[in-house]
Amino acid sequence: MQSEQYDRQLTPSQKKAVSHIEGPLLVIAGPGSGKTRVITYRIAALIDSSVLPKNICAITFTNKAAEQMRQRTDALGTPTGAHISTFHSLCVRILRQYAAQANIKSNFSIYNDSDQTRCIKQATKDCGIDKKNFPPSRCLNTISSLKNSLIDTEPFEAQADDFFSKTLSKIYNRYQQILTENNALDFDDLLTKTAILLHKNKTVCSQLSNRFKFLLIDEYQDTNHAQYTIAKELASAHNNICATGDPDQSIYRWRGADIRNILDFENDWPDAVTIKLEENFRSTPNILEAADKLISKNKNRKQKVLIPTKPKGHDISVTSFDDEHEEALGIADQIKKLIKQKTTLNDIAIFYRINAQSRSLEEAFIKNKIPYQIIRGVEFYNRKEIRDMLAYLKVLANPADQIALLRVINTPARGIGKTTITKVLNFAASHKISLFDGLKKVEQISSLSKAPKTKIAVFVNMLEQFKADSSGKVGPLTERIFIESGLQNSFKAAGSEGSDAIENVNELINAIHAYDQQTEEPSLVDYLQQISLFSDTDTYDPSGQRIALMTLHAAKGLEFENVFIIGVEEGLLPHERSADDDDELEEERRLLFVGITRAKANLNITYARYRTIRGQFLRTIPSQFLFELGIDITPSDSELPEDHHDDGYYYDESTSQLPPQFKKNQLVRHEVFGLGRVQKYNDMGENSTATVKFNTGHIKTLMLKYTKLEKIKNL
């Protein structure tokens, strides 16, 4: 890759970012600005400047993005050897190499969401705590936040000063003990243990820093504290860190992402060069203008503009519907029109704020015979028969994985019941050995009769034979397990339901054979690592002729000719939890910004006047974001419900008269909801809104020109 090629294929700002070699670099890359191109060309440019490929480490956030980056780098004719992966994959590699220094075993299992839930339930039970008061999801979310903030069990126990924290500290401690007993790490452990290792072990940090002399981090705005620490430690010796991202696309605060990491980059690296990529090669000017107007309302950002390179296109369409069912049917009608215009289905996507919104769309598409796919994470890998097969593989890779072992020990049924398993568990616990070692010593368990001992011996012998065949390619081993474990015959005996299971397992085996063919050195541990780090967008298949349905969060990194964003209403987008939190509100605005900028040519936004929410058919109001887009959505008289006065909404035809202004904590009365206090007032002229917490406990964001909200004196 020579400089003349840069001139032909890169914009001036892209070329400047690509040509920067030594020292810290911050690239603020707007949506559709060629961010991936800059990173791949930068890798090529570094190698052209005599940097060895093995000294380059490029990190991104999804397997799909990493694979795309590898393919683009190869297409440039760049010598191989640069490390390109996700943060989690890099951490797995580091922890397996430096397992002893991290005080773990190198063949550790990586526990997914369902595995973690089983562990947290067991931890709660072991602590004698009622899971009704400490639900598994809440405990796991809090523990995840603690880990991402690098707060281990001991410091958390020391700082716990209330009932919830003290109780959670016990659960956290026991949860970590269970992971250790199973030689397992959860997703957060991969990051936190690596961050702690690099921070505390300067020898390891120095070795890795010398190996990765140039660090390139994509989507820097989505890094959490642990990832930030890893990056800073790896780059501390040479300062050759290139962070690429966009504060306006930071949408993962709920899972620990800290927008301050990118906003404060120049403070962390005072010598940093900052380059903005503002040209947009994806969307029409109409779409970009609206996106710019929307995101300009945020305060936590770095100023930039979206410069269109495409000619003017269609206006943004905003459509209101009576309810979510009419909304879904209306979208189906619009899609049928697009199909008549020869639009391919994989050029169409529908985004929504929460997964529950897909149900009415699915019903409408089935009724209208419109093919679709829902991008909803790793559902294939959560099917029982797939989890059973993978559990066998996990036990072979890590015999200490008790959760996987308990899953397969009597699957299919082989006469090893709960009573027998309990006796083996008690024996293993009393001798301080793993369950697998307890099974191997079953002859020493005096409380067991000959029959269960024989069955266990047969089971252990089968696993040992599988293990002897577990090096190299994974496909043949998986086929052997499917047949010799008895799973295949058990499915055959189950009729039509079993036939579906067999098809699914065959699909898994085909995928594993593909892994074997595409991987230079296939291994069981590597394969299990890859599927454990599978993400939502990795499941998207752009080749099929199907419409894509997904949440706005899953849409990150994708683009489509035609985009529908549905349910743009107060309480949904922005989500109701942002009602009294300015930072949450800004994140919701960024989320819509991301959705809008996925559209290349046509953007359709919808909202419903009524929507079923948690089983209740409720009146809604348009999102304040619609007005911030600069789009006029003033309803006509025919669009308003006949009883709009009765439910507290009205339309003020005198648009020149601004709604009343309110102050925070102002006491108000609503005809339907009663007394409440204003939590936040958004002054947007005739489109002003007030967020009110009513004495009933409900929090409502009300558009004042539609709502009779009476100011009253304090009682």
Side-chain angles (χ1 to χ4, degrees):
M1 177 68 57
Q2 301 299 323
S3 60
E4 58 267 22
Q5 290 179 277
Y6 301 158
D7 290 329
R8 292 196 304 268
Q9 301 181 28
L10 299 173
T11 67
S13 57
Q14 289 175 337
K15 183 181 177 182
K16 187 177 179 183
V18 165
S19 303
H20 179 95
I21 303 297
E22 298 280 347
L25 172 67
L26 175 63
V27 180
I28 302 297
S33 62
K35 172 170 60 71
T36 304
R37 168 179 287 239
V38 165
I39 295 172
T40 53
Y41 272 66
R42 181 166 161 74
I43 292 172
L46 287 170
I47 295 173
D48 278 351
S49 67
S50 300
V51 175
L52 295 176
K54 70 176 184 179
N55 293 144
I56 300 171
C57 178
I59 306 173
T60 188
F61 271 76
T62 68
N63 293 319
K64 183 166 286 187
E67 180 58 29
Q68 184 185 51
M69 205 174 285
R70 281 190 286 268
Q71 291 174 357
R72 290 199 187 184
T73 304
D74 291 343
L76 293 175
T78 306
T80 59
H83 179 89
I84 302 174
S85 76
T86 64
F87 253 113
H88 287 87
S89 294
L90 173 66
C91 290
V92 171
R93 177 174 176 171
I94 291 172
L95 291 175
R96 294 209 192 278
Q97 181 178 352
Y98 295 100
Q101 292 89 332
N103 297 316
I104 56 177
K105 296 177 182 177
S106 62
N107 65 332
F108 57 82
S109 294
I110 302 171
Y111 274 4
N112 60 21
D113 293 343
S114 60
D115 296 329
Q116 293 173 44
T117 299
R118 289 187 66 176
C119 289
I120 203 72
K121 285 180 177 178
Q122 185 62 50
T124 305
K125 181 180 178 182
D126 292 348
C127 293
I129 296 166
D130 189 347
K131 66 180 181 181
K132 291 181 181 178
N133 297 325
F134 286 82
S137 59
R138 184 184 181 192
C139 291
L140 283 173
N141 287 339
T142 307
I143 289 171
S144 177
S145 296
L146 291 168
K147 289 186 177 184
N148 287 331
S149 300
L150 300 182
I151 301 175
D152 207 348
T153 54
E154 290 184 9
F156 181 61
E157 183 178 7
Q159 71 184 39
D161 58 0
D162 56 49
F163 174 74
F164 176 79
S165 298
K166 289 178 180 178
T167 307
L168 182 66
S169 175
K170 297 176 184 177
I171 297 173
Y172 187 8
N173 270 293
R174 181 57 189 139
Y175 172 73
Q176 286 303 114
Q177 289 172 4
I178 292 172
L179 289 176
T180 302
E181 291 165 4
N182 286 271
N183 185 26
L185 303 181
D186 63 22
F187 295 132
D188 297 313
D189 285 331
L190 299 176
L191 300 176
T192 57
K193 288 189 178 296
T194 303
I196 292 169
L197 172 67
L198 293 173
H199 182 68
K200 291 187 175 181
N201 193 315
K202 296 306 177 186
T203 300
V204 171
C205 186
S206 177
Q207 289 176 0
L208 288 168
S209 190
N210 286 331
R211 163 70 194 280
F212 299 130
K213 294 179 179 178
F214 288 85
L215 191 62
L216 291 76
I217 303 177
D218 190 17
E219 307 288 6
Y220 196 72
Q221 76 280 350
D222 291 330
T223 53
N224 59 32
H225 183 63
Q227 291 161 331
Y228 165 83
T229 301
I230 292 167
K232 195 160 188 184
E233 292 290 345
L234 286 176
S236 59
H238 47 64
N239 290 354
N240 293 325
I241 179 172
C242 170
T244 305
D246 181 7
D248 292 339
Q249 297 183 72
S250 178
I251 59 173
Y252 296 112
R253 184 172 182 256
W254 52 277
R255 70 182 188 196
D258 191 343
I259 194 174
R260 292 174 299 180
N261 292 346
I262 192 167
L263 293 178
D264 294 342
F265 186 88
E266 290 104 330
N267 294 331
D268 292 332
W269 307 92
D271 297 333
V273 172
T274 300
I275 299 169
K276 295 180 181 180
L277 306 181
E278 297 177 304
E279 298 94 339
N280 181 286
F281 304 96
R282 176 188 299 155
S283 306
T284 61
N286 314 59
I287 293 170
L288 297 180
E289 182 182 359
D292 250 338
K293 284 182 179 178
L294 174 74
I295 204 63
S296 67
K297 304 296 182 183
N298 274 7
K299 296 178 181 177
N300 293 314
R301 63 189 302 257
K302 285 184 177 291
Q303 184 62 40
K304 69 175 188 308
V305 295
L306 303 179
I307 302 172
T309 58
K310 283 186 170 184
K312 188 174 181 179
H314 301 291
D315 289 336
I316 297 173
S317 167
V318 179
T319 311
S320 63
F321 295 94
D322 285 339
D323 57 33
E324 69 267 27
H325 303 293
E326 292 296 326
E327 179 182 54
L329 290 170
I331 290 172
D333 286 341
Q334 292 183 58
I335 287 171
K336 286 192 289 186
K337 291 177 182 177
L338 287 172
I339 294 172
K340 286 183 179 179
Q341 297 167 9
K342 307 301 182 183
T343 300
T344 56
L345 293 181
N346 56 4
D347 275 337
I348 304 172
I350 303 176
F351 306 150
Y352 36 79
R353 179 62 180 83
I354 60 175
N355 280 312
Q357 291 174 262
S358 71
R359 185 171 58 84
S360 57
L361 291 169
E362 291 183 76
E363 291 173 355
F365 289 174
I366 291 170
K367 181 178 179 180
N368 286 275
K369 298 180 180 179
I370 298 174
Y372 66 91
Q373 61 173 317
I374 296 183
I375 316 304
R376 193 180 290 169
V378 290
E379 290 191 344
F380 175 78
Y381 292 99
N382 284 330
R383 291 169 178 159
K384 182 183 183 304
E385 60 272 14
I386 302 302
R387 291 169 67 185
D388 290 341
M389 286 295 300
L390 293 177
Y392 275 99
L393 296 176
K394 289 178 180 179
V395 169
L396 300 181
N398 175 20
D401 189 339
Q402 182 171 299
I403 286 181
L405 186 54
L406 287 172
R407 186 174 187 93
V408 302
I409 193 170
N410 201 41
T411 303
R414 49 177 60 94
I416 304 176
K418 289 184 179 179
T419 302
T420 299
I421 294 171
T422 300
K423 289 180 179 180
V424 180
L425 283 168
N426 291 337
F427 173 82
S430 64
H431 288 74
K432 296 183 179 179
I433 57 176
S434 69
L435 173 60
F436 188 72
D437 287 337
L439 291 171
K440 290 196 290 186
K441 296 181 178 181
V442 69
E443 286 298 329
Q444 300 178 24
I445 306 176
S446 58
S447 60
L448 284 177
S449 61
K450 184 177 180 180
K453 286 182 179 180
T454 301
K455 292 171 183 175
I456 288 174
V458 171
F459 171 69
V460 170
N461 182 59
M462 178 184 70
L463 290 182
E464 294 285 14
Q465 290 185 31
F466 290 156
K467 189 167 180 60
D469 197 26
S470 63
S471 60
K473 293 186 176 181
V474 188
L477 171 65
T478 311
E479 289 189 63
R480 183 182 172 195
I481 290 171
F482 187 41
I483 297 168
E484 296 182 21
S485 68
L487 278 171
Q488 185 181 54
N489 285 337
S490 71
F491 293 148
K492 286 180 178 178
S496 59
E497 185 177 334
S499 297
D500 291 340
I502 290 174
E503 287 184 11
N504 289 332
V505 173
N506 285 335
E507 186 179 342
L508 173 71
I509 291 171
N510 290 337
I512 295 176
H513 279 302
Y515 159 81
D516 286 338
Q517 294 170 3
Q518 296 166 4
T519 307
E520 189 173 333
E521 295 182 6
S523 71
L524 179 56
V525 169
D526 180 69
Y527 169 71
L528 291 172
Q529 171 186 319
Q530 283 200 20
I531 62 168
S532 69
L533 301 178
F534 216 56
S535 68
D536 285 0
T537 51
D538 292 327
T539 66
Y540 171 57
D541 178 13
S543 62
Q545 282 299 308
R546 296 177 293 171
I547 292 171
L549 276 61
M550 68 190 79
T551 64
L552 284 156
H553 284 100
K556 182 78 175 294
L558 302 176
E559 60 181 27
F560 301 88
E561 287 291 327
N562 305 277
V563 166
F564 292 82
I565 303 177
I566 71 169
V568 186
E569 303 145 18
E570 291 295 325
L572 266 182
L573 187 63
H575 195 274
E576 60 184 356
R577 70 164 174 251
S578 67
D580 57 352
D581 188 324
D582 289 340
D583 288 337
E584 288 278 5
L585 182 64
E586 289 208 354
E587 177 128 337
E588 293 291 304
R589 192 177 282 114
R590 292 193 293 268
L591 189 57
L592 179 56
F593 174 82
V594 166
I596 289 171
T597 54
R598 301 310 93 192
K600 297 166 75 173
N602 297 301
L603 175 62
N604 306 272
I605 297 174
T606 70
Y607 65 95
R609 290 183 289 277
Y610 286 90
R611 190 174 296 275
T612 305
I613 300 173
R614 291 187 285 273
Q616 289 186 300
F617 194 58
L618 301 176
R619 179 74 165 94
T620 70
I621 61 172
S623 170
Q624 68 182 73
F625 295 159
L626 290 177
F627 300 95
E628 293 173 0
L629 288 168
I631 300 172
D632 181 17
I633 62 162
T634 302
S636 65
D637 291 338
S638 62
E639 287 182 306
L640 290 166
E642 293 180 2
D643 61 347
H644 62 279
H645 289 289
D646 296 332
D647 68 6
Y649 295 86
Y650 74 99
Y651 174 57
D652 182 3
E653 293 183 1
S654 178
T655 56
S656 62
Q657 183 178 353
L658 298 181
Q661 293 192 354
F662 293 89
K663 294 181 179 179
K664 189 173 182 180
N665 294 323
Q666 168 73 50
L667 191 62
V668 294
R669 179 184 287 112
H670 186 278
E671 289 182 348
V672 174
F673 305 122
L675 288 173
R677 287 193 182 275
V678 174
Q679 290 191 318
K680 183 167 58 177
Y681 171 72
N682 289 320
D683 188 354
M684 296 187 292
E686 67 180 57
N687 297 318
S688 296
T689 63
T691 300
V692 183
K693 184 173 184 179
F694 292 97
N695 292 352
T696 58
H698 292 96
I699 298 176
K700 301 285 184 181
T701 299
L702 307 170
M703 191 158 292
L704 298 178
K705 71 177 180 180
Y706 301 147
T707 304
K708 289 181 178 178
L709 201 59
E710 177 189 358
K711 291 183 182 180
I712 62 175
K713 295 180 179 179
N714 290 336
L715 299 178

